Amino acid sequence: EEVKKKIAETFFYSYEDVYSGPYATDDTEIPTDLLTFKHSFGYDCTRPVNLMIMDCHTVGYIAGNQVVLQNLRTKYQKYIRSSRGGGIGFITAHPSKEYFAVGEKGRKPNIVIYTYPSVRPYRILKGGTETAYVFGDFNRTGTLLASVGSSPDYMLTIWDWKQEETLLRSKAFAQDVYKVMFSAENEEHLTTAGSGHISTCKLCHIAKKLNLLTLYIFSCKCLYFAIDLMPSWKEATNGTEWGNLLLWEGGLIKAELCQVGRKPCHDGPVSQLVFDEGELYSVGKDGVIRMWNFEVIDTADPVDDTGLVEVEPMNELWVGKNVSLNFMTKIHDRGQLFWYAQDTNGAIWKLDLTFSNMTHDPERVCTFHSGRIEAIDVSPFTCLMASTALDRSVRIYDFGSNSQLSVIKFKQGGTALTWAPAVVNPEGGLIAVGFEDGVVRIIEVYDPKLLPGHAGQANESVEINLKQVFKPHAAAVTALAYERKGHVFATGGKDKTVFFFAIEDEYKPIGFISVPGPVQALQWSPPSHDKSTLLILCENGFAVQVPAPLPGKQDTVTTYHIKNLPTQYFHFYSIKSRIKVKNCPVAEFHLLHCARREKEKQEKERARLEWIKQQKEMGLEIEETKEEEPEEEPLPPLYIPEEPSPILCGFYSAPGKFWLSLGGYDSGFLYHCEFSHDDEEDPEKRKDEPFEVIPMEDTDDNPIHRISFCTSNPLMFCGMQDGSLRAYPLNDKDLSADALKHYWYLNVHDNDNGQIRGICCSHDDGCLITCGGDGNIFTFDIWSEEELPKELKVVIPPPRRGLEKEKATEDIKDPDAYTIEEYKQKKEHERKMKEAEEKKNKKREELSALRHDFVFLLQKNQKLPKHMQLHREVYLA
């Protein structure tokens, strides 16, 4: 038997050879170092386990295609890129904290073991799964590493990681597997958990080969992610979605544990169970950690048919309001044990679970957005950035010093955001934010130290003030845009309307128009165009163009609905199938074949006519018969999708002309379109085709979601569905297939759920910012031939004059509050009702007067002699 050569303890890989860098097409002039990663402002806190503790001051977490190691004291970040560019599935620290493992995603992904604190690639483990790693765990002594893969193989692999050897490979289960872990008590035992199952296994040697023996499989639809196993290995506990704990024995549920009075153990799902030093901790989405007596749980036995056993926790810690704990892990800090916890509402907490008189209060060491980032934008003057998300917060950052400056929270989630241009607000401190309930809020950012009488008193370097609030839409606001001269502000929503406002000291409604679909994006025509027009892109394939409505020219007495605004429509009609047919080899062969067959046909016809002529000259009668033509081979059929492809983004190219990027079937191209002047009354009946298309390489299944332009260094940046970033050099003024043939490319956000949702350049084009569906916000330095200052000094806008004397703006807190139009209609209805009531009152008064006169006449009639009195049944002609 051949003896395999051992890998030396001192062997290391070179990081430059391991990490995945940017890619540039051949013959491109773009430098490879076009973008330099600068800072990560986000945190994928909704990922099941995304927290790793390396020492008392350093935490690690996955951020797209990077692992971020952040010092909690200094806020300094170190970045480790994935080795293949396919994303990262898990991270886990070695028990000694001298190493950590990074399990990746993508085709044939790697697990890379890094040393700490030097962060050098030490070992690379290959061949453990087909598509992605989802979890990994070192055994207690750190000699073995267990990893589990995702669909389609769900492969469990045991590694001798120091020698890069696979000791065992086995299918973990037939369904989704989320977790694998070694027992803290017995290193031969490990557990996998996933969709509706927990499997407990034992490692054993058979014929000098490591094998996996399944001991028990606990199956139940109600299983949740949180699991832990008892030292006996015949019992297990798991958390449930309704907050109780299930105690298993021999593959069956032995008891359901709840609190005294049949209260659930947690008010919501139990996300993690930790068995540590003889005690069992349950971590809940309700922000509570409870410690349970292990012996009581171990001996729990139901006394009735309900299966419920009431157990009282020994201790509990309520971390805070609006806290949703997902995972926690421990570290020793100067001889004292602390825990760090991942909060899915956008935070990392430092916790003391000693439960003594000296116990420290929970400390929130980091705060971020929770969930996907909906929108970002930058200041027109300085290195300030604003972001919003569905977590109901708006955050302000200084991307020059890599710091978060301020946060303001509202009652509903943010869905759109734009920073007011200099023509609207010369100080550069005004931001418009749209929300999921249809409300738009105008907020102002300012330096509180510059308020009269507040010098040296402010605790924050930046404060945010709510300046104005209004509700133009009945559904989520999806787009906001300022007209180029700063006179008009437009908002678009899911309710298929676009509302216009006149910009004065306060934003005053001009009116709204209805459009054929939910609004995806708004763009005003650039200054190079003669007329100011608004390009409205709808999700369902419609593009609409309208001129800027003039303030004060609309009749808003009874409604804000603008009905006389000149409107042009473009209803995208798919031509991708035709392009594919035209370009496919079958079509080329078909055209050549048809040409050849036509030539043969003409030659045959010429020969036949010549033969007929000869026969006639010989005096013979000829019966002319026409040969049957063979059936032609049909071209591949054209395909038009039943559901129109969604418009993802677009921009003006010239007056009345624009480029579009579409998703769905029609992805893979940039389409050049033009508004026509035909008067088709029903936009739904239109079938408008683009007049030019540019094929975009490798975008059939990875469409362009966002486009931004860098003007000083002519580049077009594209944010892709798979979280990657592209840069196209623009040497020509107009886009063309040749101009977009070469590009620079880098995987940035998560490849599965990191779709880029925002991309913009800083005011000086020195920095690029991206945000994604994975909750991350990244900043990059853009390469330039000119020497740029490395440290960008932020300038906080001054407060508005008289701000300190103003009363706080009354916010709209009710999500069912009336929109501007609904309020107008309500007022109009009330006015009509009032007029009707006034008419009724007038009639009542007239009737009352007539009654009074009638009574008077009756009385007068009674006083007359009987022969002169009129009877009541008198008819007057």
Side-chain angles (χ1 to χ4, degrees), residues 53 55-58 72-73 330-340 350-351 360 363:
I53 309 301
D55 56 45
C56 59
H57 298 300
T58 306
L72 298 173
R73 285 189 305 181
K330 67 178 180 179
I331 191 74
H332 288 274
D333 183 4
R334 293 186 290 271
Q336 190 172 0
L337 182 65
F338 279 94
W339 296 78
Y340 283 93
K350 185 178 182 182
L351 307 174
H360 296 79
E363 178 189 356

Side-chain angles (χ1 to χ4, degrees), residues 11 23 83 102 106 152 195 353 443 462 497 527 712:
F11 174 77
Y23 159 83
S83 66
V102 178
S195 180
L353 299 181
I443 61 175
V462 167
T497 63
S712 60

Side-chain angles (χ1 to χ4, degrees), residues 91-137:
I91 51 173
T92 187
H94 190 269
S96 68
K97 307 296 183 185
E98 294 177 358
Y99 309 94
F100 62 92
V102 178
E104 301 186 352
K105 299 191 294 184
R107 188 172 175 274
K108 301 286 185 183
N110 296 330
I111 298 177
V112 184
I113 313 292
Y114 292 89
T115 56
Y116 184 80
S118 61
V119 193
R120 296 174 65 189
Y122 187 57
R123 297 291 182 263
I124 300 176
L125 312 181
K126 300 179 179 180
T129 190
E130 290 294 321
T131 307
Y133 288 102
V134 295
F135 205 89
D137 187 42

Side-chain angles (χ1 to χ4, degrees), residues 620-636:
L620 298 174
E621 290 187 9
I622 302 298
E623 187 179 339
E624 294 188 15
T625 57
K626 204 167 186 179
E627 287 186 22
E628 290 188 7
E629 295 183 10
E631 290 186 9
E632 293 186 6
E633 288 183 40
L635 280 169

Side-chain angles (χ1 to χ4, degrees), residues 439-555:
V439 170
V440 173
R441 292 178 173 89
I442 308 299
I443 61 175
E444 47 191 353
V445 175
Y446 64 93
D447 186 347
K449 295 188 289 294
L450 299 179
L451 283 170
H454 288 70
Q457 297 180 19
N459 296 323
E460 300 286 340
S461 59
V462 167
E463 283 195 8
I464 305 172
N465 177 59
L466 178 61
K467 184 176 186 289
Q468 190 181 353
V469 57
F470 43 86
K471 187 174 182 179
H473 300 282
V477 180
T478 54
L480 306 166
Y482 285 94
E483 190 257 344
R484 64 194 188 190
K485 295 179 181 177
H487 299 321
V488 179
F489 175 62
T491 69
K494 288 270 188 185
D495 59 352
K496 303 181 182 180
T497 63
V498 175
F499 217 114
F500 299 94
F501 295 85
I503 301 174
E504 299 176 16
D505 289 338
E506 287 198 342
Y507 290 48
K508 296 182 179 178
I510 298 173
F512 74 92
I513 60 169
S514 295
V515 292
V519 176
Q520 170 70 16
L522 300 173
Q523 189 192 35
W524 288 98
S525 55
S528 58
H529 293 196
D530 293 335
K531 294 181 180 178
S532 181
T533 56
L534 179 65
L535 176 64
I536 305 163
L537 304 180
C538 301
E539 290 178 7
N540 58 347
F542 279 94
V544 182
Q545 180 175 261
V546 294
L550 298 173
K553 299 293 184 181
Q554 311 300 325
D555 181 10

Side-chain angles (χ1 to χ4, degrees), residues 461-708:
S461 59
V462 167
E463 283 195 8
I464 305 172
N465 177 59
L466 178 61
K467 184 176 186 289
Q468 190 181 353
V469 57
F470 43 86
K471 187 174 182 179
H473 300 282
V477 180
T478 54
L480 306 166
Y482 285 94
E483 190 257 344
R484 64 194 188 190
K485 295 179 181 177
H487 299 321
V488 179
F489 175 62
T491 69
K494 288 270 188 185
D495 59 352
K496 303 181 182 180
T497 63
V498 175
F499 217 114
F500 299 94
F501 295 85
I503 301 174
E504 299 176 16
D505 289 338
E506 287 198 342
Y507 290 48
K508 296 182 179 178
I510 298 173
F512 74 92
I513 60 169
S514 295
V515 292
V519 176
Q520 170 70 16
L522 300 173
Q523 189 192 35
W524 288 98
S525 55
S528 58
H529 293 196
D530 293 335
K531 294 181 180 178
S532 181
T533 56
L534 179 65
L535 176 64
I536 305 163
L537 304 180
C538 301
E539 290 178 7
N540 58 347
F542 279 94
V544 182
Q545 180 175 261
V546 294
L550 298 173
K553 299 293 184 181
Q554 311 300 325
D555 181 10
T556 59
V557 175
T558 59
T559 179
Y560 281 112
H561 194 182
I562 305 172
K563 297 179 181 177
N564 58 350
L565 198 65
T567 306
Q568 292 176 283
Y569 295 96
F570 183 94
H571 189 190
F572 184 88
Y573 187 72
S574 177
I575 62 169
K576 183 174 180 179
S577 180
R578 199 185 313 161
I579 296 169
K580 289 171 73 174
V581 166
K582 193 175 180 181
N583 294 336
C584 75
V586 174
E588 290 176 12
F589 170 79
H590 183 87
L591 291 171
L592 290 171
H593 182 64
C594 287
R596 189 176 68 248
R597 192 163 55 190
E598 184 64 27
K599 189 177 180 181
E600 290 174 357
K601 183 180 171 184
Q602 289 175 358
E603 288 176 356
K604 279 185 180 180
E605 182 66 15
R606 199 180 299 113
R608 190 177 71 85
L609 292 173
E610 185 66 30
W611 180 78
I612 291 172
K613 184 180 178 184
Q614 291 175 359
Q615 295 298 314
K616 283 183 176 180
E617 287 175 353
M618 293 169 62
L620 298 174
E621 290 187 9
I622 302 298
E623 187 179 339
E624 294 188 15
T625 57
K626 204 167 186 179
E627 287 186 22
E628 290 188 7
E629 295 183 10
E631 290 186 9
E632 293 186 6
E633 288 183 40
L635 280 169
L638 295 178
Y639 173 76
I640 306 297
E642 290 183 15
E643 286 290 323
S645 300
I647 293 178
L648 302 178
C649 62
F651 54 92
Y652 270 116
S653 59
K657 298 180 181 180
F658 54 96
W659 288 96
L660 290 180
S661 171
L662 284 88
Y665 174 77
D666 290 293
S667 62
F669 297 87
L670 280 182
Y671 298 93
H672 205 181
C673 310
E674 184 176 14
F675 290 107
S676 62
H677 298 283
D678 58 357
D679 297 325
E680 175 63 59
E681 290 185 5
D682 187 1
E684 294 285 348
K685 294 180 180 178
R686 299 183 68 93
K687 292 182 178 180
D688 298 305
E689 296 182 358
F691 66 87
E692 181 185 2
V693 295
I694 297 178
M696 305 298 284
E697 187 178 331
D698 294 332
T699 59
D700 273 342
D701 301 313
N702 182 30
I704 299 169
H705 276 257
R706 294 292 183 271
I707 293 176
S708 181

Side-chain angles (χ1 to χ4, degrees), residues 829-861:
H829 177 71
E830 289 174 353
R831 184 188 66 79
K832 289 179 179 179
M833 293 300 291
K834 186 180 178 183
E835 285 181 0
E837 196 62 34
E838 286 174 354
K839 285 182 180 179
K840 287 179 184 177
N841 289 336
K842 190 176 179 182
K843 288 291 182 185
R844 289 189 187 105
E845 288 173 3
E846 290 174 359
L847 288 171
S848 179
L850 289 171
R851 286 194 189 98
H852 183 270
D853 292 344
F854 184 63
V855 170
F856 175 74
L857 290 171
L858 285 175
Q859 290 172 353
K860 205 168 181 182
N861 188 51

Side-chain angles (χ1 to χ4, degrees), residues 17 49 141 175 209 256 287 293 313 375 403 424 476 557 626 631 633 649 703 737 755 819 824 860:
D17 296 334
V49 177
T141 56
Q175 297 174 344
K209 191 175 180 182
E256 182 179 344
N293 188 316
S403 58
V424 172
V557 175
K626 204 167 186 179
E631 290 186 9
E633 288 183 40
C649 62
Q755 169 203 315
T819 65
K824 169 71 78 176
K860 205 168 181 182

